[in-house]
Amino acid sequence: MQKKVLIGLVLIVVFAVLIFSIPQLIGKKNIAPVLSISALVLISIYIILSLEIIHRGSLALLGATIIVSAAVGFGALQPEESLDFIIEEAIDFNTIGLLLGMMVIVAILGETGVFYWVGIKATNLSKGNLWKLMVLLSTFTAVASMFIDNVTTILLMVPVTLSIVRILKVPPIPFILSQALVSNIGGSATLIGDPPNILIGSAANIDFNSFLIYMGPTVAIVFVASLLLLKFFFRKDLQIKEEEQHKQQRPLENGNNDNNSLTNELIQYKEGSLIKDKNLLMKCMIVLVGVIALFSLQNLHHLEVSVIALGGAAVLLVITRAHFEKILHEVDWSTLIFFTGLFIIVGIAQHVGLIGILSSVAINLTGGNFWNTYIMVIWLSGIASAFVDNIPFTATMIPLVEALNADPKIAQIVDEFEISPLWWALALGADFGGNGTLIGSSAGVVAAGLSERFGYRITFIRWLKIGFPFMLITLGIGTVILPLFTFIIIPH
């Protein structure tokens, strides 16, 4: 930890020197100090998050305090207006409400044991074939991540997976890695599947159906390709001797007391007993399907997604009579606090003009050419999201994309679409790019943390060897497929 702190301090000092000296060297002496401080706060947050020196919730609150104090101290924000600005303009309560509502629904759903049942069912269907088991678990994880945010899906699936692989006595890390990677792929398809999508949808007023229509086909194609990639990357881990596979596929026989028969017997027993409360499961599924249906009908009723999610959570709490305090303990409050602090930081950075400067730089780099900008947003988001958590990066990029959409040259093409294609470019890059490294996405961080808690450590290098080439290939496929649907197949 001391080494990480030292590295972090050195990097922050280096960037501080660059931020405060470069404007002077190039003759831009009129740069406001609050701009430089805002830039330093943003970069420092990225550095500290990457090194995992401070808990991200604490870091976001500290960064918010510093940047608000700087804005007030240098006159960019009046003290008496600061609270109103934070509540009315900076914090996106639509995103906070959506996350809170879905967390409550999933917390109650998790009490039913349905996720363990799915895991054991997948084990039986695979009949001891590790590749089939990986496909089944990965497919369920990807599909679940479309309708339950991928962080929550990973929280529920990793303990299930670890239980299964311990029974089968096979290496767990390939299965955990594969589920974390495909959760980011599957979650990309919908508004609620991945936290960056929630941010983008709320900022750009994109409804559930539009996200699924524009992102879904690309994600489906990339997911199929990702399964083939996983088979290639984990080919050695998935190898199993033919005689062992034959033994695992052999049905139970009277008097057969070998270890494999005991394993099969245990699996069969668990499959029939893991649903703890079928009545509770039915109620959860009815409410969850209702919530998703209301998401898809948003064009008709125009309710915000936060209202739908919180309403569904309230209904489920009442009809199930769930223990309220226990469910609140299951809510990931640290993530909600992290989002809140992050919204404040980015809101102030936009207010003082930092985002405007970044958009001008981006326009100059691409010459205002739409296609150059489109590709830049995808790959800048992808590469950057591999090395910093894709949530704060997306929050920073949203006002930048808004500024790019307003540029006259780019607006000529963007105005032909109901929704700017640059939003899909940002979603694709941020979601897929999060697979690049261990710290690129919240789902990856959670998967690694759970794995280590159970005694299986996934190192940064181990993840990098699989995740980074996986990210580059899937991002490359997405870069080709997404424009095909956006500009040619889907009417606009």
Side-chain angles (χ1 to χ4, degrees), residues 9 14 57 70 109 120 159 174 197 256 264 343 354 358-359 385 417 426 449 469 488:
L9 287 174
V14 169
L109 180 62
I120 298 302
N197 291 5
N256 185 357
N264 284 335
F343 284 139
L354 177 62
L358 294 177
S359 68
S385 293
F417 296 82
L426 176 59
I488 300 174

Side-chain angles (χ1 to χ4, degrees), residues 259-274:
N259 291 336
N260 191 68
S261 295
L262 291 174
T263 297
N264 284 335
E265 185 178 353
L266 179 60
I267 291 173
Q268 293 292 343
Y269 168 76
K270 283 190 173 183
E271 184 183 329
S273 63
L274 273 173

Side-chain angles (χ1 to χ4, degrees), residues 107-118:
I108 299 174
L109 180 62
E111 295 290 318
T112 67
V114 66
F115 288 90
Y116 274 93
W117 179 85
V118 168

Side-chain angles (χ1 to χ4, degrees), residues 89-237:
E89 298 186 40
I91 299 176
D92 185 351
F93 286 102
N94 193 40
T95 297
I96 300 295
L98 173 60
L99 286 170
L100 176 58
M102 295 305 295
M103 284 177 182
V104 171
I105 292 172
V106 173
I108 299 174
L109 180 62
E111 295 290 318
T112 67
V114 66
F115 288 90
Y116 274 93
W117 179 85
V118 168
I120 298 302
K121 189 71 175 177
T123 306
N124 279 343
L125 290 173
S126 69
K127 296 181 180 179
N129 185 301
L130 298 185
W131 163 237
K132 288 182 181 178
L133 178 60
M134 180 175 283
V135 169
L136 289 168
L137 291 176
S138 296
T139 300
F140 178 80
T141 301
V143 173
S145 294
M146 292 172 61
F147 304 105
I148 303 170
D149 76 89
N150 57 2
V151 175
T152 304
T153 304
I154 290 297
L155 277 170
L156 294 168
M157 283 302 297
V158 167
V160 174
T161 303
L162 286 168
S163 298
I164 292 169
V165 296
R166 280 178 173 175
I167 292 173
L168 297 178
K169 297 180 181 179
V170 296
I173 291 180
F175 292 89
I176 296 172
L177 269 172
S178 64
Q179 288 179 41
L181 294 173
V182 299
S183 73
N184 283 323
I185 300 295
S188 307
T190 67
L191 173 67
I192 60 174
D194 209 353
N197 291 5
I198 298 172
L199 294 172
I200 293 168
S202 182
N205 197 27
I206 302 174
D207 59 55
F208 185 90
N209 286 353
S210 295
F211 233 106
L212 184 60
I213 290 169
Y214 279 91
M215 292 294 292
T218 299
V219 169
I221 293 170
V222 173
F223 174 69
V224 173
S226 70
L227 291 178
L228 299 177
L229 288 173
L230 292 174
K231 185 174 185 180
F232 174 76
F233 287 135
F234 295 121
R235 60 193 182 279
K236 293 181 179 179
D237 299 286

Side-chain angles (χ1 to χ4, degrees), residues 3 12 14 16 20 26 33 46 57 76 114 189 203 225 242 248 282 301 325 348 358 427 441 445 463 475 482:
K3 186 177 180 180
I12 291 172
V14 169
F20 285 98
I26 62 176
Y46 288 147
V114 66
E242 290 185 5
Q248 291 188 14
M282 183 62 66
H301 54 66
E325 287 78 10
I348 294 292
L358 294 177
S441 71
V445 173
W463 188 296
L475 197 59
L482 182 64

